[in-house]
């Protein structure tokens, strides 16, 4: 139940690393809905030099989706995003572990999830109970039903885990 937005539009004004990897430098709102709620997702910039924009965007959030790569352990900017999220008072974080399609070792997925939960707990979030959805965004976008289901699981987790906004 969302309007498709191209990667190029989401990263407009971004810093190009290569054609498949553009770092956001502006916050782009994307609206979509689940059967239970309407959401506005803001893709916050991922580099230290854009931290000010990130903090300004997060100040109004009821929850956050932390996207981590299943290909490696948590990066410094991920740790900084979680710290800033707590600092500005975002009450809950759900996790989408992306690129699981590229990892053959289930132990690696378990280790990345464990490290993510430890990071959340160390920053005052409920790391033990936070939803961690293992998925692959690109194959989901390309219509692979196995990975499309993970997007449905993420939306369900948001509906259940992120606090309902107060009027």
């Amino acid at each position: 139940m969302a309007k498709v937005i191209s990667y190029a539009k989401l990263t407009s004004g971004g810093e190009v690393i290569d054609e498949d990897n553009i770092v956001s430098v502006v916050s782009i709102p994307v609206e979509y809905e689940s059967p239970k709620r309407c959401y506005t997702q803001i893709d916050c910039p991922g580099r230290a030099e854009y931290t000010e924009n990130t903090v300004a965007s997060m100040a109004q959030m009821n929850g956050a989706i932390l996207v981590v790569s299943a290909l490696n352990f948590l990066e410094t900017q991920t740790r900084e995003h979680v710290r800033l999220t707590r600092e500005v008072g975002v009450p809950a974080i759900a996790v989408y572990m992306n690129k699981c399609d590229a990892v053959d070792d289930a132990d690696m997925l378990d280790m990345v999830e464990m490290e993510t939960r430890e990071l959340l707990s160390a920053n005052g979030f409920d790391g033990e109970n936070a939803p961690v959805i293992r998925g692959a965004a690109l194959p989901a976008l390309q219509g692979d039903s196995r990975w499309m289901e993970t997007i449905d699981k993420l939306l369900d987790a948001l509906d259940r885990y992120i606090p309902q906004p107060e009027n």
Side-chain angles (χ1 to χ4, degrees), residues 1 5 11 28 33 35 41 62 78 80-82 94 96 112 116 121 130 133 138 147 154 156-157 160 164-165 167:
M1 292 185 279
I5 296 175
T11 58
I28 305 292
E33 59 187 273
Q41 178 176 317
N62 298 311
T78 303
E80 183 67 7
H81 276 134
V82 172
Y96 189 79
V112 172
T116 303
S121 295
I133 310 303
L138 182 58
W147 299 111
L154 177 61
D156 182 58
R160 287 183 293 101
Q164 187 75 341
N167 294 333

PDB file of all heavy atoms in Angstrom, residues 1 5 11 28 33 35 41 62 78 80-82 94 96 112 116 121 130 133 138 147 154 156-157 160 164-165 167:
ATOM      1  N   MET A   1       0.826  -1.193   0.000  1.00  0.00           N
ATOM      2  CA  MET A   1       0.000   0.000   0.000  1.00  0.00           C
ATOM      3  C   MET A   1       0.868   1.254   0.000  1.00  0.00           C
ATOM      4  O   MET A   1       0.676   2.159   0.778  1.00  0.00           O
ATOM      5  CB  MET A   1      -0.908  -0.013   1.233  1.00  0.00           C
ATOM      6  CG  MET A   1      -1.962  -1.104   1.180  1.00  0.00           C
ATOM      7  SD  MET A   1      -3.115  -1.052   2.554  1.00  0.00           S
ATOM      8  CE  MET A   1      -2.151  -1.871   3.817  1.00  0.00           C
ATOM      9  N   ILE A   5       8.863   4.494  -5.030  1.00  0.00           N
ATOM     10  CA  ILE A   5       9.773   5.622  -5.219  1.00  0.00           C
ATOM     11  C   ILE A   5      11.119   5.044  -5.629  1.00  0.00           C
ATOM     12  O   ILE A   5      11.640   4.139  -4.971  1.00  0.00           O
ATOM     13  CB  ILE A   5       9.909   6.451  -3.933  1.00  0.00           C
ATOM     14  CG1 ILE A   5       8.560   7.075  -3.590  1.00  0.00           C
ATOM     15  CG2 ILE A   5      10.972   7.527  -4.088  1.00  0.00           C
ATOM     16  CD1 ILE A   5       8.542   7.820  -2.280  1.00  0.00           C
ATOM     17  N   THR A  11      17.672   9.117  -3.221  1.00  0.00           N
ATOM     18  CA  THR A  11      19.039   9.573  -2.979  1.00  0.00           C
ATOM     19  C   THR A  11      19.372  10.853  -3.730  1.00  0.00           C
ATOM     20  O   THR A  11      20.531  11.213  -3.835  1.00  0.00           O
ATOM     21  CB  THR A  11      20.031   8.460  -3.384  1.00  0.00           C
ATOM     22  OG1 THR A  11      19.815   8.134  -4.756  1.00  0.00           O
ATOM     23  CG2 THR A  11      19.868   7.243  -2.511  1.00  0.00           C
ATOM     24  N   ILE A  28      14.555  12.321   3.256  1.00  0.00           N
ATOM     25  CA  ILE A  28      13.474  12.185   2.285  1.00  0.00           C
ATOM     26  C   ILE A  28      12.311  11.462   2.951  1.00  0.00           C
ATOM     27  O   ILE A  28      12.447  10.296   3.333  1.00  0.00           O
ATOM     28  CB  ILE A  28      13.935  11.372   1.054  1.00  0.00           C
ATOM     29  CG1 ILE A  28      15.182  11.965   0.414  1.00  0.00           C
ATOM     30  CG2 ILE A  28      12.795  11.217   0.057  1.00  0.00           C
ATOM     31  CD1 ILE A  28      14.988  13.287  -0.255  1.00  0.00           C
ATOM     32  N   GLU A  33       1.400   2.764   4.229  1.00  0.00           N
ATOM     33  CA  GLU A  33       0.539   2.332   5.321  1.00  0.00           C
ATOM     34  C   GLU A  33       0.496   0.818   5.413  1.00  0.00           C
ATOM     35  O   GLU A  33       0.729   0.108   4.446  1.00  0.00           O
ATOM     36  CB  GLU A  33      -0.864   2.913   5.176  1.00  0.00           C
ATOM     37  CG  GLU A  33      -1.573   2.550   3.900  1.00  0.00           C
ATOM     38  CD  GLU A  33      -2.890   3.293   3.756  1.00  0.00           C
ATOM     39  OE1 GLU A  33      -3.904   2.788   4.266  1.00  0.00           O
ATOM     40  OE2 GLU A  33      -2.879   4.370   3.141  1.00  0.00           O
ATOM     41  N   PRO A  35      -2.119  -2.315   7.228  1.00  0.00           N
ATOM     42  CA  PRO A  35      -3.566  -2.390   7.473  1.00  0.00           C
ATOM     43  C   PRO A  35      -4.003  -1.643   8.745  1.00  0.00           C
ATOM     44  O   PRO A  35      -5.164  -1.290   8.876  1.00  0.00           O
ATOM     45  CB  PRO A  35      -3.826  -3.887   7.615  1.00  0.00           C
ATOM     46  CG  PRO A  35      -2.735  -4.523   6.815  1.00  0.00           C
ATOM     47  CD  PRO A  35      -1.535  -3.639   7.027  1.00  0.00           C
ATOM     48  N   GLN A  41       8.022   7.558   6.703  1.00  0.00           N
ATOM     49  CA  GLN A  41       9.387   7.105   6.984  1.00  0.00           C
ATOM     50  C   GLN A  41      10.341   8.169   6.484  1.00  0.00           C
ATOM     51  O   GLN A  41      10.166   8.703   5.395  1.00  0.00           O
ATOM     52  CB  GLN A  41       9.652   5.783   6.262  1.00  0.00           C
ATOM     53  CG  GLN A  41      11.064   5.282   6.466  1.00  0.00           C
ATOM     54  CD  GLN A  41      11.255   3.933   5.819  1.00  0.00           C
ATOM     55  OE1 GLN A  41      10.397   3.073   5.918  1.00  0.00           O
ATOM     56  NE2 GLN A  41      12.380   3.753   5.168  1.00  0.00           N
ATOM     57  N   ASN A  62       8.188   8.649  16.442  1.00  0.00           N
ATOM     58  CA  ASN A  62       7.605   7.757  17.446  1.00  0.00           C
ATOM     59  C   ASN A  62       8.355   6.444  17.519  1.00  0.00           C
ATOM     60  O   ASN A  62       8.217   5.691  18.473  1.00  0.00           O
ATOM     61  CB  ASN A  62       6.140   7.473  17.105  1.00  0.00           C
ATOM     62  CG  ASN A  62       5.327   8.731  17.114  1.00  0.00           C
ATOM     63  OD1 ASN A  62       5.392   9.498  18.053  1.00  0.00           O
ATOM     64  ND2 ASN A  62       4.582   8.960  16.061  1.00  0.00           N
ATOM     65  N   THR A  78      26.466   3.270  12.452  1.00  0.00           N
ATOM     66  CA  THR A  78      25.287   2.593  13.003  1.00  0.00           C
ATOM     67  C   THR A  78      25.240   2.807  14.510  1.00  0.00           C
ATOM     68  O   THR A  78      24.186   3.115  15.071  1.00  0.00           O
ATOM     69  CB  THR A  78      25.330   1.091  12.677  1.00  0.00           C
ATOM     70  OG1 THR A  78      25.411   0.938  11.261  1.00  0.00           O
ATOM     71  CG2 THR A  78      24.098   0.375  13.211  1.00  0.00           C
ATOM     72  N   GLU A  80      26.519   5.258  16.122  1.00  0.00           N
ATOM     73  CA  GLU A  80      26.209   6.673  16.338  1.00  0.00           C
ATOM     74  C   GLU A  80      24.722   6.944  16.138  1.00  0.00           C
ATOM     75  O   GLU A  80      24.112   7.689  16.899  1.00  0.00           O
ATOM     76  CB  GLU A  80      27.057   7.542  15.401  1.00  0.00           C
ATOM     77  CG  GLU A  80      26.872   9.022  15.592  1.00  0.00           C
ATOM     78  CD  GLU A  80      27.372   9.550  16.934  1.00  0.00           C
ATOM     79  OE1 GLU A  80      27.999   8.816  17.713  1.00  0.00           O
ATOM     80  OE2 GLU A  80      27.124  10.739  17.221  1.00  0.00           O
ATOM     81  N   HIS A  81      24.116   6.328  15.135  1.00  0.00           N
ATOM     82  CA  HIS A  81      22.677   6.515  14.912  1.00  0.00           C
ATOM     83  C   HIS A  81      21.862   6.021  16.104  1.00  0.00           C
ATOM     84  O   HIS A  81      20.906   6.676  16.527  1.00  0.00           O
ATOM     85  CB  HIS A  81      22.216   5.782  13.647  1.00  0.00           C
ATOM     86  CG  HIS A  81      22.425   6.565  12.403  1.00  0.00           C
ATOM     87  ND1 HIS A  81      22.976   6.023  11.280  1.00  0.00           N
ATOM     88  CD2 HIS A  81      22.152   7.849  12.098  1.00  0.00           C
ATOM     89  CE1 HIS A  81      23.033   6.938  10.333  1.00  0.00           C
ATOM     90  NE2 HIS A  81      22.545   8.056  10.812  1.00  0.00           N
ATOM     91  N   VAL A  82      22.242   4.875  16.649  1.00  0.00           N
ATOM     92  CA  VAL A  82      21.500   4.353  17.807  1.00  0.00           C
ATOM     93  C   VAL A  82      21.672   5.282  19.004  1.00  0.00           C
ATOM     94  O   VAL A  82      20.709   5.597  19.706  1.00  0.00           O
ATOM     95  CB  VAL A  82      21.934   2.908  18.134  1.00  0.00           C
ATOM     96  CG1 VAL A  82      21.320   2.435  19.450  1.00  0.00           C
ATOM     97  CG2 VAL A  82      21.538   1.970  16.996  1.00  0.00           C
ATOM     98  N   ALA A  94      12.881  -0.817  15.790  1.00  0.00           N
ATOM     99  CA  ALA A  94      12.761  -2.126  15.154  1.00  0.00           C
ATOM    100  C   ALA A  94      13.946  -2.255  14.200  1.00  0.00           C
ATOM    101  O   ALA A  94      14.453  -1.249  13.691  1.00  0.00           O
ATOM    102  CB  ALA A  94      11.449  -2.237  14.393  1.00  0.00           C
ATOM    103  N   TYR A  96      15.760  -4.010  10.762  1.00  0.00           N
ATOM    104  CA  TYR A  96      15.690  -4.768   9.517  1.00  0.00           C
ATOM    105  C   TYR A  96      17.111  -5.145   9.154  1.00  0.00           C
ATOM    106  O   TYR A  96      17.936  -4.282   8.849  1.00  0.00           O
ATOM    107  CB  TYR A  96      15.044  -3.951   8.398  1.00  0.00           C
ATOM    108  CG  TYR A  96      14.767  -4.769   7.155  1.00  0.00           C
ATOM    109  CD1 TYR A  96      13.655  -5.609   7.103  1.00  0.00           C
ATOM    110  CD2 TYR A  96      15.600  -4.715   6.049  1.00  0.00           C
ATOM    111  CE1 TYR A  96      13.386  -6.375   5.978  1.00  0.00           C
ATOM    112  CE2 TYR A  96      15.338  -5.473   4.921  1.00  0.00           C
ATOM    113  CZ  TYR A  96      14.234  -6.305   4.889  1.00  0.00           C
ATOM    114  OH  TYR A  96      13.978  -7.064   3.764  1.00  0.00           O
ATOM    115  N   VAL A 112      25.425 -11.192  13.902  1.00  0.00           N
ATOM    116  CA  VAL A 112      25.055  -9.800  13.600  1.00  0.00           C
ATOM    117  C   VAL A 112      23.823  -9.417  14.419  1.00  0.00           C
ATOM    118  O   VAL A 112      23.757  -8.323  14.982  1.00  0.00           O
ATOM    119  CB  VAL A 112      24.829  -9.595  12.091  1.00  0.00           C
ATOM    120  CG1 VAL A 112      24.247  -8.207  11.807  1.00  0.00           C
ATOM    121  CG2 VAL A 112      26.128  -9.789  11.324  1.00  0.00           C
ATOM    122  N   THR A 116      23.661  -6.518  17.316  1.00  0.00           N
ATOM    123  CA  THR A 116      22.670  -5.449  17.195  1.00  0.00           C
ATOM    124  C   THR A 116      21.849  -5.337  18.478  1.00  0.00           C
ATOM    125  O   THR A 116      21.614  -4.235  18.993  1.00  0.00           O
ATOM    126  CB  THR A 116      21.752  -5.700  15.984  1.00  0.00           C
ATOM    127  OG1 THR A 116      22.569  -5.798  14.805  1.00  0.00           O
ATOM    128  CG2 THR A 116      20.741  -4.582  15.821  1.00  0.00           C
ATOM    129  N   SER A 121      20.578  -2.560  23.663  1.00  0.00           N
ATOM    130  CA  SER A 121      20.527  -2.617  25.132  1.00  0.00           C
ATOM    131  C   SER A 121      21.512  -1.644  25.765  1.00  0.00           C
ATOM    132  O   SER A 121      21.181  -0.963  26.738  1.00  0.00           O
ATOM    133  CB  SER A 121      20.814  -4.046  25.616  1.00  0.00           C
ATOM    134  OG  SER A 121      19.786  -4.915  25.196  1.00  0.00           O
ATOM    135  N   ALA A 130      13.314  -6.269  21.070  1.00  0.00           N
ATOM    136  CA  ALA A 130      13.141  -5.512  19.825  1.00  0.00           C
ATOM    137  C   ALA A 130      12.998  -6.482  18.659  1.00  0.00           C
ATOM    138  O   ALA A 130      13.726  -7.472  18.568  1.00  0.00           O
ATOM    139  CB  ALA A 130      14.343  -4.596  19.595  1.00  0.00           C
ATOM    140  N   ILE A 133      14.051  -8.280  11.976  1.00  0.00           N
ATOM    141  CA  ILE A 133      13.537  -8.946  10.787  1.00  0.00           C
ATOM    142  C   ILE A 133      14.703  -9.190   9.838  1.00  0.00           C
ATOM    143  O   ILE A 133      15.412  -8.254   9.467  1.00  0.00           O
ATOM    144  CB  ILE A 133      12.464  -8.081  10.074  1.00  0.00           C
ATOM    145  CG1 ILE A 133      11.393  -7.594  11.050  1.00  0.00           C
ATOM    146  CG2 ILE A 133      11.886  -8.827   8.882  1.00  0.00           C
ATOM    147  CD1 ILE A 133      10.669  -8.659  11.811  1.00  0.00           C
ATOM    148  N   LEU A 138      16.473  -5.506  -1.810  1.00  0.00           N
ATOM    149  CA  LEU A 138      16.524  -5.465  -3.272  1.00  0.00           C
ATOM    150  C   LEU A 138      15.736  -6.616  -3.898  1.00  0.00           C
ATOM    151  O   LEU A 138      14.896  -6.370  -4.771  1.00  0.00           O
ATOM    152  CB  LEU A 138      17.967  -5.442  -3.772  1.00  0.00           C
ATOM    153  CG  LEU A 138      18.124  -5.350  -5.292  1.00  0.00           C
ATOM    154  CD1 LEU A 138      17.438  -4.104  -5.852  1.00  0.00           C
ATOM    155  CD2 LEU A 138      19.604  -5.367  -5.668  1.00  0.00           C
ATOM    156  N   TRP A 147      11.391 -12.768  -0.079  1.00  0.00           N
ATOM    157  CA  TRP A 147      11.890 -11.563   0.582  1.00  0.00           C
ATOM    158  C   TRP A 147      10.798 -10.507   0.729  1.00  0.00           C
ATOM    159  O   TRP A 147      10.851  -9.686   1.640  1.00  0.00           O
ATOM    160  CB  TRP A 147      13.122 -11.035  -0.147  1.00  0.00           C
ATOM    161  CG  TRP A 147      14.212 -12.057  -0.133  1.00  0.00           C
ATOM    162  CD1 TRP A 147      14.689 -12.767  -1.198  1.00  0.00           C
ATOM    163  CD2 TRP A 147      14.924 -12.548   1.006  1.00  0.00           C
ATOM    164  NE1 TRP A 147      15.656 -13.649  -0.796  1.00  0.00           N
ATOM    165  CE2 TRP A 147      15.828 -13.538   0.555  1.00  0.00           C
ATOM    166  CE3 TRP A 147      14.893 -12.259   2.367  1.00  0.00           C
ATOM    167  CZ2 TRP A 147      16.684 -14.217   1.398  1.00  0.00           C
ATOM    168  CZ3 TRP A 147      15.745 -12.940   3.223  1.00  0.00           C
ATOM    169  CH2 TRP A 147      16.630 -13.908   2.750  1.00  0.00           C
ATOM    170  N   LEU A 154       8.098  -6.821   8.670  1.00  0.00           N
ATOM    171  CA  LEU A 154       8.570  -5.555   9.231  1.00  0.00           C
ATOM    172  C   LEU A 154       7.397  -4.649   9.567  1.00  0.00           C
ATOM    173  O   LEU A 154       7.342  -4.069  10.658  1.00  0.00           O
ATOM    174  CB  LEU A 154       9.534  -4.864   8.266  1.00  0.00           C
ATOM    175  CG  LEU A 154      10.040  -3.486   8.705  1.00  0.00           C
ATOM    176  CD1 LEU A 154      10.821  -3.573  10.009  1.00  0.00           C
ATOM    177  CD2 LEU A 154      10.882  -2.855   7.605  1.00  0.00           C
ATOM    178  N   ASP A 156       4.315  -5.510  10.191  1.00  0.00           N
ATOM    179  CA  ASP A 156       3.622  -6.095  11.334  1.00  0.00           C
ATOM    180  C   ASP A 156       4.373  -5.783  12.631  1.00  0.00           C
ATOM    181  O   ASP A 156       3.767  -5.424  13.646  1.00  0.00           O
ATOM    182  CB  ASP A 156       3.475  -7.606  11.144  1.00  0.00           C
ATOM    183  CG  ASP A 156       2.711  -8.240  12.280  1.00  0.00           C
ATOM    184  OD1 ASP A 156       1.556  -7.838  12.530  1.00  0.00           O
ATOM    185  OD2 ASP A 156       3.280  -9.146  12.943  1.00  0.00           O
ATOM    186  N   ALA A 157       5.697  -5.886  12.603  1.00  0.00           N
ATOM    187  CA  ALA A 157       6.508  -5.581  13.790  1.00  0.00           C
ATOM    188  C   ALA A 157       6.352  -4.113  14.185  1.00  0.00           C
ATOM    189  O   ALA A 157       6.247  -3.787  15.374  1.00  0.00           O
ATOM    190  CB  ALA A 157       7.983  -5.914  13.530  1.00  0.00           C
ATOM    191  N   ARG A 160       3.025  -3.594  15.905  1.00  0.00           N
ATOM    192  CA  ARG A 160       2.967  -4.164  17.257  1.00  0.00           C
ATOM    193  C   ARG A 160       3.935  -3.492  18.226  1.00  0.00           C
ATOM    194  O   ARG A 160       3.618  -3.327  19.399  1.00  0.00           O
ATOM    195  CB  ARG A 160       3.295  -5.667  17.220  1.00  0.00           C
ATOM    196  CG  ARG A 160       2.205  -6.542  16.634  1.00  0.00           C
ATOM    197  CD  ARG A 160       2.548  -8.027  16.677  1.00  0.00           C
ATOM    198  NE  ARG A 160       3.679  -8.373  15.787  1.00  0.00           N
ATOM    199  CZ  ARG A 160       4.930  -8.577  16.193  1.00  0.00           C
ATOM    200  NH1 ARG A 160       5.238  -8.524  17.454  1.00  0.00           N
ATOM    201  NH2 ARG A 160       5.881  -8.868  15.316  1.00  0.00           N
ATOM    202  N   GLN A 164       1.900   3.669  19.803  1.00  0.00           N
ATOM    203  CA  GLN A 164       0.902   4.466  19.084  1.00  0.00           C
ATOM    204  C   GLN A 164       1.112   5.931  19.439  1.00  0.00           C
ATOM    205  O   GLN A 164       1.253   6.290  20.608  1.00  0.00           O
ATOM    206  CB  GLN A 164      -0.510   4.012  19.511  1.00  0.00           C
ATOM    207  CG  GLN A 164      -1.620   4.634  18.743  1.00  0.00           C
ATOM    208  CD  GLN A 164      -1.771   4.050  17.329  1.00  0.00           C
ATOM    209  OE1 GLN A 164      -0.890   3.447  16.782  1.00  0.00           O
ATOM    210  NE2 GLN A 164      -2.921   4.266  16.756  1.00  0.00           N
ATOM    211  N   PRO A 165       1.167   6.829  18.452  1.00  0.00           N
ATOM    212  CA  PRO A 165       1.354   8.247  18.751  1.00  0.00           C
ATOM    213  C   PRO A 165       0.182   8.798  19.565  1.00  0.00           C
ATOM    214  O   PRO A 165      -0.959   8.384  19.384  1.00  0.00           O
ATOM    215  CB  PRO A 165       1.403   8.919  17.384  1.00  0.00           C
ATOM    216  CG  PRO A 165       1.345   7.846  16.372  1.00  0.00           C
ATOM    217  CD  PRO A 165       1.056   6.555  17.040  1.00  0.00           C
ATOM    218  N   ASN A 167      -2.343  11.798  20.545  1.00  0.00           N
ATOM    219  CA  ASN A 167      -2.947  12.926  19.810  1.00  0.00           C
ATOM    220  C   ASN A 167      -2.629  14.230  20.458  1.00  0.00           C
ATOM    221  O   ASN A 167      -2.548  14.535  21.497  1.00  0.00           O
ATOM    222  CB  ASN A 167      -4.454  12.746  19.701  1.00  0.00           C
ATOM    223  CG  ASN A 167      -4.777  11.532  18.844  1.00  0.00           C
ATOM    224  OD1 ASN A 167      -3.991  11.162  17.989  1.00  0.00           O
ATOM    225  ND2 ASN A 167      -5.925  10.917  19.094  1.00  0.00           N
TER     226      ASN A 167
END
